[in-house]
Amino acid sequence: MRIVVLSGGVGGSRFIRGLLAATAPDDDITVVANTADDLWLFGLRVCPDLDTVMYTLGDGIDSGRGWGRTQETWNAKEELAAYGAPQAWFGLGDRDLATHLVRSDLLRSGAGLTEATDRLCRRWAPGTDLDRIRLLPMTEDEVETWISTTVDGQDVDLHFQEFWIRHQASVPVHAVTQRGIETSRPAPGVQEAIAFADVVILPPSNPIVSVGPILAVPGVREALRGGVAPVVGVSPIIDGGAVRGMADQLLAGLNVENSAAAVAELHGSRSGDGVLDGWLVDESDADLLPRITGAGISARAVPLWMRDAATTQRLAEDTLDLARGLVRG
Ligand code: GDP
Ligand code: CA
């Protein structure tokens, strides 16, 4: 079975772990990660979602925090703050820094982000879950998410990371823009992976700043709509709230109702002008099923909380099961 997952960071990687437990070693899994969270920091290219997937599947993640390296130290960050460096709010750990140094060096010497990602993954893959997947950036072009907001009475645009980390998503969201998305191209291998897939999965990742940008790379939506593989998604919203993260603040800022059904409608049905064939909601959201099926999307209610390895594997099995019932000619 060939499976493609369009992933953000924390929610996506957790789900992929479950997916690996739910599939056989010879199943072919390609993870296309969001790169619209990426940023330049002190001359280094930082790719938070690619790194969260790499560290999580490579057993290098700090599982308590859910991002960054295990056994991390913060000497460089403290030194940067001591210099009054304006970007010292970013959680740049000493171990993590090595990843950004290696990646930036590869990029500067002419490698694309796909090759740089592959080179970084080689360190982690042997003997870990990372060895069972192929990790691709959604694009090699620079795309950045910016949030229009108001800080201290002033209307400003903040890089998504500054909004999320420095302001902890506590300022109002007026608009979300993915700068550079219109002219971006899918990274090598992305459209091919989708075209040859047996199933495409939208894991429970943030619909606005993780899955949204991947779908907005010109050519990706067309590949999903034109492919033979069913496209099935898992709601990142349970009972009207985001489980981990800030999906709810972003949805509210964009006047999208905070519900599993509204996110399904946002992605839309492939039988209409959207991308979804199937959608899983939590059991507590079972009352939303008629609305989602009414929008032309097959839907089921199953437990969506990825509490531990067993519940996460169950969720992946339920996702594959939903997809199996939707295989088209
Ligand atoms: P990020 O890039 O690190 O923000 O991670 P993602 O975009 O991949 O995922 C973040 C989203 O995952 C959050 O906004 C939550 O809505 C969702 N999420 C996290 N944990 C769970 C869970 O256990 N179940 C479900 N259904 N969604 C979750
Ligand atoms: Ca992210």
Side-chain angles (χ1 to χ4, degrees), residues 4 6 30 32 134 136-139 184-197 200 214 217-224 226-228:
V4 172
L6 309 183
T30 300
V32 177
R134 189 162 58 120
L136 298 177
M138 67 182 197
T139 178
S184 68
R185 292 150 301 171
V190 169
Q191 282 161 303
E192 293 79 354
I194 294 171
F196 292 112
V200 178
I214 304 176
V217 174
V220 169
R221 179 176 287 272
E222 293 74 6
L224 292 176
V228 291

Side-chain angles (χ1 to χ4, degrees), residues 44-86:
L44 301 178
R45 194 64 177 161
V46 179
C47 305
D49 287 358
L50 279 171
D51 290 349
T52 298
V53 174
M54 179 175 78
Y55 293 154
T56 302
L57 301 183
D59 295 334
I61 197 87
D62 181 305
S63 48
R65 266 199 320 273
W67 58 271
R69 292 279 286 107
T70 180
Q71 296 175 319
E72 188 58 283
T73 53
W74 305 91
N75 296 301
K77 184 174 154 69
E78 279 167 33
E79 291 294 305
L80 290 165
Y83 282 112

Side-chain angles (χ1 to χ4, degrees), residues 10-12 14-15 63-66 164 204-206 236-238 241-249 304-308 311-312:
V10 175
R14 266 186 186 247
F15 180 87
S63 48
R65 266 199 320 273
W164 173 227
S205 283
N206 190 305
I237 302 290
I238 297 178
V243 184
R244 301 178 183 89
M246 79 325 271
D248 42 355
Q249 281 106 309
L304 286 203
W305 256 95
M306 300 184 287
R307 287 176 209 282
D308 48 37
T311 53
T312 309

Side-chain angles (χ1 to χ4, degrees), residues 2-303:
R2 280 160 302 195
I3 304 172
V4 172
V5 185
L6 309 183
S7 178
V10 175
S13 341
R14 266 186 186 247
F15 180 87
I16 296 160
R17 268 228 194 268
L19 183 65
L20 289 169
T23 50
D26 60 344
D27 286 322
D28 179 307
I29 301 175
T30 300
V31 175
V32 177
N34 170 45
T35 59
D37 285 10
D38 296 8
L39 72 167
W40 286 105
L41 212 58
F42 307 106
L44 301 178
R45 194 64 177 161
V46 179
C47 305
D49 287 358
L50 279 171
D51 290 349
T52 298
V53 174
M54 179 175 78
Y55 293 154
T56 302
L57 301 183
D59 295 334
I61 197 87
D62 181 305
S63 48
R65 266 199 320 273
W67 58 271
R69 292 279 286 107
T70 180
Q71 296 175 319
E72 188 58 283
T73 53
W74 305 91
N75 296 301
K77 184 174 154 69
E78 279 167 33
E79 291 294 305
L80 290 165
Y83 282 112
Q87 291 159 310
W89 48 264
F90 192 82
L92 203 55
D94 300 331
R95 288 178 186 275
D96 195 29
L97 197 52
T99 303
H100 311 317
L101 285 164
V102 172
R103 174 169 39 229
S104 306
D105 200 42
L106 286 165
L107 293 175
R108 267 191 286 269
S109 64
L113 186 57
T114 313
E115 187 189 337
T117 302
D118 187 57
R119 295 273 285 274
L120 292 170
C121 284
R122 267 185 231 166
R123 170 195 167 184
W124 298 101
T128 70
D129 274 352
L130 197 60
D131 211 14
R132 284 191 47 204
I133 69 151
R134 189 162 58 120
L135 179 59
L136 298 177
M138 67 182 197
T139 178
E140 298 199 317
D141 300 313
E142 284 179 23
V143 175
E144 294 192 344
T145 300
W146 285 72
I147 307 284
S148 301
T149 180
T150 307
V151 179
D152 301 330
Q154 296 269 39
D155 286 340
V156 287
D157 287 342
L158 300 179
H159 188 287
F160 171 70
Q161 297 295 341
E162 188 170 2
F163 160 80
W164 173 227
I165 298 169
R166 188 178 190 183
H167 295 280
Q168 308 202 327
S170 63
V171 291
V173 177
H174 306 317
V176 181
T177 322
Q178 263 95 35
R179 294 188 186 167
I181 199 91
E182 297 88 354
T183 53
S184 68
R185 292 150 301 171
V190 169
Q191 282 161 303
E192 293 79 354
I194 294 171
F196 292 112
D198 298 309
V199 51
V200 178
I201 299 175
L202 274 49
S205 283
N206 190 305
I208 307 294
V209 292
S210 294
V211 175
I214 304 176
L215 297 177
V217 174
V220 169
R221 179 176 287 272
E222 293 74 6
L224 292 176
R225 286 180 54 76
V228 291
V231 181
V232 293
V234 179
S235 174
I237 302 290
I238 297 178
D239 197 16
V243 184
R244 301 178 183 89
M246 79 325 271
D248 42 355
Q249 281 106 309
L250 291 171
L251 288 168
L254 300 180
N255 295 316
V256 178
E257 169 199 301
N258 241 308
S259 80
V263 177
E265 290 162 357
L266 187 71
H267 294 318
S269 162
R270 202 155 70 144
S271 60
D273 57 4
V275 297
L276 286 178
D277 296 300
W279 190 244
L280 291 180
V281 303
D282 189 63
E283 289 170 317
S284 63
D285 287 321
D287 56 320
L288 297 172
L289 289 175
R291 179 170 152 196
I292 300 166
T293 25
I297 300 163
S298 294
R300 276 189 212 165
V302 300

